Amino acid sequence: NKGKKVTKFCELSLPPSLGSNSYVADQLAPSFQVVDIDGNVLNYDSNNPSQSNCLPLVIFSLNSNDPFSMSMIQESSSLSGFLLHTPNNTHFLFTTYSETFSVSLIKTNIVNQMIKLNFSIDTQNQFLQRLHFINSTSIQKADSIVNLLQQWPSPINTIHFGQNQSTARLDCQYGWCSWPDEIVPTTLVAGSNCVVPNTQNYAILQLSDNCNISSAIQSIVSSSAAGVILVQKDSLPLTVPGLDSTDTDGVSQSITMISYESGNELFKLISQSPSQSINITLDYISSAGFFASIDHSGRFQEVGWEKSATLRMLSWHSEWLNYKHDLYKSLKSPSLVIPLTNDAVMADTFTVTNINIPSLDQIGMFKDLWIEFKLGCQGNMDKDCSVWDHCVTLQVQCNDQLGNEPGGGPNELGRWITPFKRRVGHWMTNITPLIPLIVGFQNCTFKVQTEYEIWLATANLRFTLSSENERPFSVLPLVWPNSQTNFDGPTYNQNRTLLFSVPLSTTKIILRAVITGHDGCEFLPTSHHFFVNGVEYNSSDIAYDQYMLAGTPLGCADKTKLGAVPNEHGTWYYGRNGWCDGLDVKPLLWEITNSVSFGNVNNITYSALSYDVGGGNPSSLGCGGYILMSSYLSFYTTEQTTNNKRRPNLLNKYPIFQSN
């Protein structure tokens, strides 16, 4: 599940610290008061965060020497994305490190973009009330923010050449092309007339009226160069190659851009060299940090990694801050909590044994069951986290229940995907239909499992209040005759029919499935179809965005408001097949009661289709990867017909009969 088109993991976002790290994430922010360029006072009182006029607050300190952060305030798509997708309760502090750069330019660009978007005067004014533009002198009075940013540094990507010369560079959209490794010494040769020369190293091309970015990329793709430096036209700002591309496949080479003046110097050195080439090093320098935030409770938070040069980076973070605030409010609601793990070191597998689960009598009105799951790291900052994205599964085995393989087994309670190098994943997943798997058992073993990397796992079972008159009393795991997971041909859909009977006292039946596609299926859409006595239940009808947006540029970025961890150290924003990095896998739920014949034998059949990105060309031939699925039938009954004895496992009382 590695990020696309990133041939090597690079830590360009991991510069050495400039400070003592006395500020860490989740630490309470000290009080401060600053005045913006319009004379308005921005006041934060740490003794009473809820009464402050600026929370949540996202901070962006622009470095005018860094083309990445400059691009964020210049690109039209960056400004539009910020204006159109930012929550209306978040405040933003824009400031700068440079005394020669006027922060009013940021305001001017934002207002001009508002006008282009036809924002009304009232809408403009309402938005601007939450934007605070602080000049480089005034921000010094908020010494806690200044010190924090010094200790949470950001990189400025550079090219070193000649006699200790260097220039800032702006790399392409992360994932659209390969980013270079942390430090890359290479040889540079010059191209001309928009043609990349024959080289296995790096080449440099001058953009012009006859060589725009599009034509330059065509030349790059057809070349053997490891990477290409594009030189911007005179007097134009640097732009991010591939920033607005809808083609998530992109190009395999590294592409970066430098200024016209720096390009001229490189061309000059190449022409003076007897070999018509020079040695350069792609590198970075550390700068005081660009980003931080203060959440609703007054605590400092990291905004994430600098991977996409767009102000939507701030919007995604603010959506996540709201999600986190709502989550914490829900955790304060009355609930019966059974702790499973607390910051347990999870290296491959962590097992908790001998957990006793309350009976129905003890649960009482706490009829809904949730898994609260949290992933942390062995340190206080994102830099301390593991790199890659992997499945995490929580499985249960109570008394004599059957065991299972990790991910997609008959005892799987929940599934999550680890984020790329971020420590803030925290989710609540409803597993009410699975209550009969655990309630009333006196000896349950819970196993949290992932692979290859280390995380700190916190898991709690939370029974919450519900006014529902029906509750699940029996569960039937659907163990298909064909257990194939590889969806690489028509055999995946063969022999996927089961027969089942309905327990007495049943008043409602829920079909529940957790399905994710991986490897070759990761970035291709799929749909999943269950037929109950011939009546179809289709994933696209209830969870279209979860599966059919796989492979789209922002399919997962649009889910930060649902808990997807933003601004990860990888291509987290691309849509995935049933999942997103840094998010719980949402279960599919259908009520199938009206399709079931009570008192008779019923049949249920499963099949899947794959599609091209965008949803075209449905096919049963698959997506070239594998599907992990766990599916169940949950049988509900009314309170009046529920007794308080532990219900039997349906696998014993109501056997599954495989079809011929």
Side-chain angles (χ1 to χ4, degrees), residues 124-198:
Q124 292 181 42
N125 290 334
Q126 290 172 9
F127 207 113
L128 288 170
Q129 287 176 2
R130 296 183 288 110
L131 306 185
H132 311 278
F133 303 93
I134 316 294
N135 63 36
S136 59
T137 302
S138 296
I139 196 62
Q140 298 300 319
K141 297 179 180 179
D143 57 348
S144 61
I145 292 178
V146 173
N147 292 336
L148 172 79
L149 293 173
Q150 286 286 335
Q151 295 166 25
W152 292 9
S154 294
I156 298 178
N157 294 330
T158 60
I159 299 173
H160 285 83
F161 59 93
Q163 297 296 317
N164 296 320
Q165 295 174 273
S166 68
T167 183
R169 73 176 202 265
L170 182 58
D171 291 340
C172 65
Q173 172 68 2
Y174 185 76
W176 176 81
C177 82
S178 293
W179 270 21
D181 211 352
E182 185 175 334
I183 300 175
V184 179
T186 186
T187 301
L188 183 67
V189 297
S192 61
N193 299 319
C194 217
V195 176
V196 178
N198 183 22

Coordinates of all heavy atoms in Angstrom, one line a residue, residues 124-198:
Q124 N -17.5 38.0 1.9 CA -16.1 38.3 2.0 C -15.7 38.8 3.4 O -14.8 38.4 4.1 CB -15.7 39.4 1.0 CG -15.7 39.0 -0.4 CD -15.4 40.1 -1.4 OE1 -14.4 40.9 -1.1 NE2 -16.1 40.3 -2.5
N125 N -16.6 39.7 4.0 CA -16.4 40.3 5.3 C -16.4 39.2 6.4 O -15.6 39.2 7.3 CB -17.3 41.4 5.6 CG -17.1 42.6 4.7 OD1 -16.0 42.9 4.3 ND2 -18.1 43.4 4.5
Q126 N -17.4 38.3 6.3 CA -17.5 37.2 7.2 C -16.3 36.3 7.2 O -15.8 35.9 8.3 CB -18.8 36.4 7.0 CG -20.1 37.1 7.3 CD -21.3 36.4 6.8 OE1 -21.2 35.2 6.4 NE2 -22.4 37.0 6.8
F127 N -15.8 36.0 6.0 CA -14.6 35.2 5.9 C -13.4 35.9 6.5 O -12.6 35.3 7.3 CB -14.4 34.8 4.5 CG -13.6 33.5 4.3 CD1 -14.2 32.4 3.7 CD2 -12.3 33.4 4.7 CE1 -13.5 31.2 3.5 CE2 -11.6 32.2 4.5 CZ -12.2 31.1 3.9
L128 N -13.2 37.2 6.2 CA -12.1 38.0 6.6 C -12.0 38.1 8.1 O -11.0 38.4 8.7 CB -12.0 39.3 5.9 CG -11.7 39.3 4.4 CD1 -11.9 40.6 3.7 CD2 -10.2 38.8 4.2
Q129 N -13.2 38.1 8.8 CA -13.2 38.2 10.2 C -12.4 37.0 10.9 O -12.0 37.2 12.0 CB -14.6 38.2 10.7 CG -15.4 39.5 10.5 CD -16.8 39.4 10.9 OE1 -17.3 38.4 11.4 NE2 -17.6 40.5 10.6
R130 N -12.3 35.9 10.2 CA -11.5 34.8 10.8 C -10.1 34.7 10.2 O -9.4 33.7 10.6 CB -12.3 33.5 10.4 CG -13.7 33.4 11.1 CD -14.4 32.1 10.8 NE -14.8 32.0 9.4 CZ -14.3 31.1 8.5 NH1 -13.2 30.4 8.9 NH2 -14.7 31.1 7.3
L131 N -9.7 35.7 9.4 CA -8.3 35.7 8.9 C -7.6 36.8 9.6 O -8.0 38.0 9.5 CB -8.3 35.9 7.4 CG -9.2 34.9 6.6 CD1 -8.9 35.1 5.1 CD2 -8.8 33.4 6.9
H132 N -6.4 36.5 10.1 CA -5.7 37.5 10.9 C -4.3 37.6 10.3 O -3.5 36.6 10.3 CB -5.6 37.1 12.4 CG -6.9 36.7 13.0 ND1 -7.8 37.6 13.4 CD2 -7.5 35.4 13.1 CE1 -8.9 37.0 13.9 NE2 -8.7 35.7 13.7
F133 N -4.0 38.8 9.8 CA -2.7 39.0 9.1 C -1.8 39.8 10.0 O -2.1 41.0 10.3 CB -3.0 39.7 7.8 CG -3.9 39.0 6.8 CD1 -5.3 39.3 6.9 CD2 -3.5 38.0 6.0 CE1 -6.2 38.6 6.1 CE2 -4.4 37.3 5.2 CZ -5.7 37.6 5.2
I134 N -0.7 39.2 10.4 CA 0.2 39.7 11.4 C 1.6 40.0 10.8 O 2.1 39.0 10.2 CB 0.3 38.8 12.6 CG1 -1.0 38.2 13.1 CG2 1.0 39.5 13.8 CD1 -2.0 39.2 13.6
N135 N 2.1 41.2 10.9 CA 3.4 41.5 10.2 C 4.5 40.9 11.1 O 4.3 40.4 12.2 CB 3.6 42.9 10.0 CG 3.6 43.8 11.2 OD1 4.1 43.4 12.2 ND2 3.0 45.0 11.1
S136 N 5.7 40.9 10.5 CA 6.8 40.2 11.2 C 7.2 40.8 12.5 O 7.8 40.2 13.3 CB 8.0 40.2 10.2 OG 8.4 41.5 9.9
T137 N 6.9 42.1 12.7 CA 7.3 42.8 13.9 C 6.3 42.4 15.0 O 6.6 42.1 16.1 CB 7.3 44.3 13.7 OG1 8.3 44.6 12.7 CG2 7.7 45.0 15.0
S138 N 5.0 42.5 14.7 CA 3.9 42.2 15.7 C 4.0 40.8 16.2 O 3.7 40.5 17.3 CB 2.6 42.5 15.1 OG 2.4 43.9 14.8
I139 N 4.3 39.8 15.3 CA 4.2 38.4 15.7 C 5.3 38.1 16.8 O 5.1 37.2 17.6 CB 4.4 37.5 14.5 CG1 4.0 36.1 14.8 CG2 5.9 37.5 14.0 CD1 2.5 35.9 15.2
Q140 N 6.3 39.0 16.9 CA 7.4 38.7 17.9 C 6.8 38.9 19.3 O 7.4 38.3 20.2 CB 8.5 39.7 17.7 CG 9.2 39.6 16.4 CD 9.8 38.2 16.2 OE1 10.4 37.6 17.1 NE2 9.7 37.7 14.9
K141 N 5.7 39.6 19.4 CA 5.0 39.7 20.7 C 4.4 38.5 21.2 O 4.1 38.3 22.4 CB 4.1 40.9 20.7 CG 4.7 42.2 20.4 CD 3.7 43.4 20.4 CE 4.4 44.7 20.0 NZ 3.5 45.8 20.0
A142 N 4.1 37.6 20.3 CA 3.5 36.3 20.6 C 4.7 35.3 20.7 O 4.9 34.4 19.8 CB 2.5 35.8 19.6
D143 N 5.5 35.4 21.7 CA 6.8 34.7 21.8 C 6.6 33.2 21.8 O 7.4 32.4 21.4 CB 7.7 35.2 22.9 CG 7.0 35.1 24.3 OD1 5.8 34.8 24.3 OD2 7.7 35.2 25.3
S144 N 5.5 32.7 22.4 CA 5.2 31.3 22.4 C 5.1 30.7 21.0 O 5.6 29.6 20.7 CB 4.0 31.0 23.3 OG 2.8 31.6 22.7
I145 N 4.4 31.5 20.1 CA 4.3 31.0 18.7 C 5.6 31.0 18.0 O 6.0 30.1 17.3 CB 3.2 31.8 18.0 CG1 1.8 31.6 18.6 CG2 3.2 31.6 16.5 CD1 0.7 32.4 18.0
V146 N 6.3 32.1 18.2 CA 7.7 32.2 17.6 C 8.6 31.1 18.0 O 9.2 30.4 17.2 CB 8.3 33.6 17.9 CG1 9.7 33.6 17.3 CG2 7.5 34.7 17.3
N147 N 8.6 30.8 19.3 CA 9.4 29.7 19.9 C 9.0 28.4 19.4 O 9.8 27.5 19.0 CB 9.4 29.8 21.4 CG 10.1 31.0 21.9 OD1 11.0 31.6 21.3 ND2 9.8 31.4 23.2
L148 N 7.7 28.2 19.3 CA 7.2 26.9 18.8 C 7.6 26.7 17.4 O 8.1 25.6 17.1 CB 5.6 26.9 18.9 CG 4.9 25.8 18.2 CD1 5.0 24.5 19.1 CD2 3.5 26.1 17.8
L149 N 7.5 27.7 16.5 CA 7.8 27.5 15.1 C 9.3 27.3 15.0 O 9.8 26.5 14.0 CB 7.4 28.7 14.3 CG 5.8 28.8 14.2 CD1 5.5 30.1 13.5 CD2 5.2 27.6 13.4
Q150 N 10.1 27.9 15.8 CA 11.6 27.6 15.8 C 11.9 26.2 16.1 O 12.8 25.6 15.6 CB 12.3 28.5 16.8 CG 12.4 30.0 16.4 CD 13.4 30.2 15.3 OE1 14.3 29.4 15.1 NE2 13.2 31.3 14.5
Q151 N 11.1 25.6 16.9 CA 11.3 24.2 17.4 C 10.6 23.1 16.5 O 11.0 22.0 16.6 CB 10.8 24.0 18.8 CG 11.6 24.9 19.8 CD 11.0 25.0 21.2 OE1 10.2 24.1 21.5 NE2 11.2 26.0 21.9
W152 N 9.7 23.6 15.6 CA 9.0 22.7 14.7 C 9.4 23.1 13.3 O 8.6 23.6 12.5 CB 7.5 22.8 14.9 CG 7.0 22.2 16.2 CD1 7.7 21.8 17.3 CD2 5.6 22.0 16.5 NE1 6.9 21.4 18.3 CE2 5.6 21.5 17.9 CE3 4.4 22.2 15.9 CZ2 4.4 21.2 18.5 CZ3 3.3 21.9 16.5 CH2 3.3 21.4 17.9
P153 N 10.7 22.8 12.9 CA 11.2 23.4 11.6 C 10.6 22.8 10.4 O 9.9 21.7 10.4 CB 12.7 23.0 11.7 CG 12.7 21.8 12.5 CD 11.7 22.0 13.6
S154 N 10.7 23.5 9.3 CA 10.3 23.0 7.9 C 11.5 23.1 7.0 O 12.4 23.8 7.2 CB 9.2 24.0 7.4 OG 8.0 23.8 8.2
P155 N 11.4 22.3 5.9 CA 12.5 22.3 5.0 C 12.3 23.3 3.8 O 11.2 23.6 3.5 CB 12.5 20.9 4.4 CG 11.0 20.6 4.4 CD 10.4 21.3 5.6
I156 N 13.4 23.8 3.3 CA 13.4 24.6 2.1 C 14.3 23.7 1.1 O 15.5 23.6 1.3 CB 13.9 26.0 2.2 CG1 13.0 26.8 3.2 CG2 14.0 26.7 0.8 CD1 13.6 28.2 3.4
N157 N 13.7 23.2 0.1 CA 14.4 22.4 -0.9 C 15.3 23.2 -1.8 O 14.9 24.3 -2.2 CB 13.4 21.6 -1.7 CG 12.6 20.6 -0.9 OD1 13.1 20.1 0.1 ND2 11.4 20.3 -1.3
T158 N 16.5 22.7 -2.0 CA 17.5 23.6 -2.7 C 18.3 22.7 -3.7 O 18.2 21.5 -3.7 CB 18.6 24.1 -1.7 OG1 19.2 23.0 -1.0 CG2 17.9 25.0 -0.7
I159 N 19.1 23.4 -4.5 CA 20.1 22.8 -5.4 C 21.4 23.5 -5.1 O 21.5 24.8 -5.2 CB 19.7 23.0 -6.9 CG1 18.4 22.2 -7.2 CG2 20.8 22.4 -7.8 CD1 17.8 22.5 -8.6
H160 N 22.4 22.7 -4.8 CA 23.7 23.3 -4.6 C 24.6 23.0 -5.8 O 24.6 21.9 -6.4 CB 24.4 22.7 -3.3 CG 23.8 23.2 -2.0 ND1 22.6 22.7 -1.5 CD2 24.2 24.2 -1.2 CE1 22.4 23.3 -0.3 NE2 23.3 24.2 -0.1
F161 N 25.4 24.0 -6.2 CA 26.2 23.9 -7.4 C 27.4 24.9 -7.3 O 27.4 25.8 -6.4 CB 25.4 24.2 -8.6 CG 24.7 25.6 -8.7 CD1 25.4 26.6 -9.3 CD2 23.5 25.8 -8.1 CE1 24.8 27.9 -9.3 CE2 22.9 27.1 -8.1 CZ 23.6 28.1 -8.7
G162 N 28.3 24.7 -8.2 CA 29.5 25.7 -8.2 C 30.2 25.8 -6.9 O 30.3 24.8 -6.2
Q163 N 30.7 27.0 -6.7 CA 31.5 27.2 -5.5 C 30.6 27.7 -4.4 O 30.4 28.9 -4.2 CB 32.6 28.3 -5.8 CG 33.6 27.9 -6.8 CD 34.4 26.7 -6.3 OE1 34.8 26.6 -5.1 NE2 34.7 25.7 -7.2
N164 N 30.0 26.8 -3.7 CA 29.1 27.1 -2.6 C 27.9 27.9 -3.0 O 27.4 28.8 -2.2 CB 29.8 27.8 -1.4 CG 30.9 26.9 -0.8 OD1 30.7 25.7 -0.6 ND2 32.1 27.5 -0.6
Q165 N 27.4 27.8 -4.2 CA 26.2 28.4 -4.6 C 25.0 27.5 -4.4 O 25.1 26.3 -4.5 CB 26.3 28.8 -6.1 CG 27.4 29.8 -6.4 CD 27.6 30.1 -7.9 OE1 28.3 29.3 -8.6 NE2 26.9 31.1 -8.4
S166 N 23.9 28.1 -4.3 CA 22.6 27.4 -4.1 C 21.4 28.2 -4.6 O 21.5 29.4 -4.6 CB 22.5 26.9 -2.7 OG 22.2 28.0 -1.8
T167 N 20.4 27.5 -4.9 CA 19.1 28.1 -5.2 C 18.0 27.3 -4.7 O 18.1 26.1 -4.6 CB 18.9 28.3 -6.7 OG1 17.7 29.0 -7.0 CG2 18.9 26.9 -7.4
A168 N 16.9 27.9 -4.3 CA 15.7 27.2 -3.8 C 15.0 26.6 -5.1 O 15.1 27.1 -6.2 CB 14.7 28.2 -3.1
R169 N 14.4 25.4 -4.8 CA 13.7 24.7 -5.9 C 12.3 24.4 -5.4 O 12.0 24.3 -4.2 CB 14.4 23.5 -6.3 CG 14.3 22.3 -5.3 CD 15.0 21.1 -5.8 NE 14.5 19.9 -5.1 CZ 15.0 19.3 -4.0 NH1 16.1 19.8 -3.5 NH2 14.5 18.2 -3.5
L170 N 11.4 24.2 -6.4 CA 10.0 23.8 -6.1 C 9.7 22.5 -6.8 O 9.6 22.5 -8.1 CB 9.0 24.9 -6.6 CG 7.5 24.7 -6.3 CD1 7.3 24.5 -4.8 CD2 6.7 25.9 -6.8
D171 N 9.6 21.4 -6.1 CA 9.3 20.1 -6.7 C 7.9 20.0 -7.1 O 7.0 20.7 -6.7 CB 9.6 19.0 -5.6 CG 11.1 18.9 -5.3 OD1 11.9 19.4 -6.1 OD2 11.5 18.4 -4.3
C172 N 7.7 19.0 -8.0 CA 6.4 18.7 -8.5 C 5.4 18.2 -7.5 O 5.8 17.9 -6.3 CB 6.5 17.6 -9.6 SG 7.0 16.0 -8.9
Q173 N 4.1 18.1 -7.8 CA 3.1 17.6 -6.9 C 3.5 16.2 -6.4 O 3.8 15.3 -7.2 CB 1.8 17.5 -7.6 CG 0.7 16.8 -6.8 CD 0.3 17.6 -5.5 OE1 0.8 18.7 -5.3 NE2 -0.7 17.0 -4.8
Y174 N 3.6 16.0 -5.1 CA 4.0 14.7 -4.6 C 3.1 13.6 -5.0 O 1.9 13.7 -4.9 CB 4.0 14.8 -3.0 CG 4.6 13.6 -2.3 CD1 6.0 13.4 -2.3 CD2 3.7 12.7 -1.7 CE1 6.5 12.3 -1.7 CE2 4.3 11.6 -1.1 CZ 5.6 11.4 -1.1 OH 6.1 10.2 -0.5
G175 N 3.7 12.5 -5.5 CA 2.9 11.4 -6.0 C 2.7 11.5 -7.5 O 2.6 10.4 -8.2
W176 N 2.6 12.7 -8.1 CA 2.4 12.8 -9.5 C 3.7 12.5 -10.2 O 3.7 12.0 -11.3 CB 1.9 14.2 -9.9 CG 1.8 14.5 -11.3 CD1 0.7 14.1 -12.1 CD2 2.7 15.1 -12.2 NE1 1.0 14.5 -13.4 CE2 2.2 15.2 -13.5 CE3 4.0 15.7 -11.9 CZ2 2.9 15.7 -14.5 CZ3 4.6 16.3 -13.0 CH2 4.1 16.3 -14.3
C177 N 4.8 12.9 -9.6 CA 6.1 12.5 -10.1 C 6.9 12.0 -8.9 O 6.5 12.1 -7.8 CB 6.9 13.6 -10.8 SG 7.7 14.8 -9.7
S178 N 8.1 11.4 -9.2 CA 8.9 10.9 -8.1 C 9.6 12.1 -7.5 O 10.2 13.0 -8.2 CB 10.0 10.0 -8.7 OG 9.4 8.8 -9.1
W179 N 9.6 12.1 -6.2 CA 10.4 13.1 -5.5 C 11.8 12.6 -5.3 O 12.0 11.4 -5.1 CB 9.8 13.5 -4.1 CG 8.9 14.6 -4.2 CD1 8.2 15.1 -5.3 CD2 8.4 15.4 -3.1 NE1 7.4 16.1 -4.9 CE2 7.5 16.3 -3.6 CE3 8.7 15.4 -1.7 CZ2 6.9 17.3 -2.8 CZ3 8.1 16.3 -0.9 CH2 7.2 17.3 -1.4
P180 N 12.9 13.4 -5.4 CA 14.2 12.9 -5.2 C 14.4 12.5 -3.7 O 13.7 12.9 -2.8 CB 15.1 14.1 -5.5 CG 14.2 15.3 -5.3 CD 12.8 14.9 -5.7
D181 N 15.4 11.7 -3.5 CA 15.8 11.3 -2.1 C 16.3 12.5 -1.4 O 16.4 13.6 -1.9 CB 16.8 10.2 -2.2 CG 16.7 9.3 -1.0 OD1 15.9 9.5 -0.1 OD2 17.4 8.2 -1.0
E182 N 16.6 12.3 -0.1 CA 16.9 13.4 0.8 C 18.1 14.3 0.3 O 18.0 15.5 0.3 CB 17.2 12.8 2.2 CG 17.4 13.9 3.3 CD 17.6 13.2 4.6 OE1 17.1 12.1 4.8 OE2 18.3 13.8 5.4
I183 N 19.1 13.6 -0.1 CA 20.3 14.3 -0.6 C 20.7 13.5 -1.9 O 21.0 12.3 -1.8 CB 21.5 14.3 0.3 CG1 21.1 15.1 1.6 CG2 22.7 15.0 -0.3 CD1 22.1 15.1 2.7
V184 N 20.7 14.2 -3.0 CA 21.0 13.5 -4.3 C 22.1 14.2 -5.1 O 21.9 15.3 -5.7 CB 19.7 13.5 -5.2 CG1 20.0 12.8 -6.5 CG2 18.6 12.8 -4.5
P185 N 23.3 13.7 -5.0 CA 24.4 14.3 -5.9 C 24.2 13.7 -7.3 O 24.0 12.5 -7.4 CB 25.7 13.8 -5.2 CG 25.3 12.6 -4.4 CD 23.8 12.7 -4.1
T186 N 24.3 14.5 -8.3 CA 24.1 14.1 -9.7 C 24.8 15.0 -10.6 O 25.4 16.0 -10.2 CB 22.6 14.0 -10.0 OG1 22.4 13.4 -11.3 CG2 22.0 15.4 -10.0
T187 N 24.8 14.6 -11.9 CA 25.4 15.4 -13.0 C 24.3 16.0 -13.7 O 23.2 15.4 -14.0 CB 26.2 14.5 -13.9 OG1 27.3 13.8 -13.1 CG2 26.9 15.3 -15.0
L188 N 24.5 17.3 -14.1 CA 23.5 18.1 -14.8 C 24.0 18.4 -16.2 O 25.1 18.9 -16.4 CB 23.2 19.3 -14.1 CG 22.1 20.2 -14.6 CD1 20.7 19.5 -14.6 CD2 22.0 21.6 -13.9
V189 N 23.1 18.1 -17.2 CA 23.4 18.5 -18.6 C 22.3 19.4 -19.1 O 21.2 19.4 -18.6 CB 23.6 17.3 -19.5 CG1 24.8 16.5 -19.1 CG2 22.4 16.4 -19.6
A190 N 22.6 20.1 -20.2 CA 21.6 21.1 -20.7 C 20.8 20.5 -21.9 O 21.4 19.9 -22.7 CB 22.3 22.4 -21.1
G191 N 19.5 20.8 -21.8 CA 18.7 20.5 -23.0 C 18.4 21.8 -23.7 O 18.6 22.9 -23.2
S192 N 17.9 21.7 -24.9 CA 17.6 22.9 -25.7 C 16.4 22.6 -26.6 O 16.0 21.4 -26.9 CB 18.8 23.3 -26.6 OG 19.1 22.3 -27.5
N193 N 15.7 23.7 -27.0 CA 14.5 23.5 -27.9 C 13.5 22.5 -27.3 O 12.8 21.8 -28.1 CB 15.0 23.1 -29.3 CG 15.9 24.1 -29.9 OD1 15.7 25.3 -29.8 ND2 16.9 23.6 -30.6
C194 N 13.3 22.5 -26.0 CA 12.3 21.7 -25.3 C 12.6 20.2 -25.5 O 11.7 19.4 -25.4 CB 10.9 22.1 -25.8 SG 9.7 22.0 -24.5
V195 N 13.9 19.8 -25.7 CA 14.2 18.4 -25.9 C 15.2 18.1 -24.7 O 16.2 18.7 -24.6 CB 14.9 18.2 -27.2 CG1 15.3 16.7 -27.3 CG2 13.9 18.5 -28.4
V196 N 14.8 17.0 -24.0 CA 15.7 16.5 -23.0 C 16.8 15.7 -23.6 O 16.5 14.8 -24.4 CB 14.9 15.6 -22.0 CG1 15.8 15.0 -20.9 CG2 13.8 16.4 -21.3
P197 N 18.1 16.0 -23.3 CA 19.2 15.2 -23.9 C 19.3 13.8 -23.4 O 18.6 13.4 -22.4 CB 20.4 16.1 -23.5 CG 20.0 16.7 -22.2 CD 18.6 17.0 -22.4
N198 N 20.1 13.0 -24.1 CA 20.2 11.6 -23.8 C 21.1 11.5 -22.5 O 22.4 11.7 -22.6 CB 20.9 10.9 -24.9 CG 21.0 9.4 -24.6 OD1 20.3 8.9 -23.8 ND2 21.9 8.7 -25.3

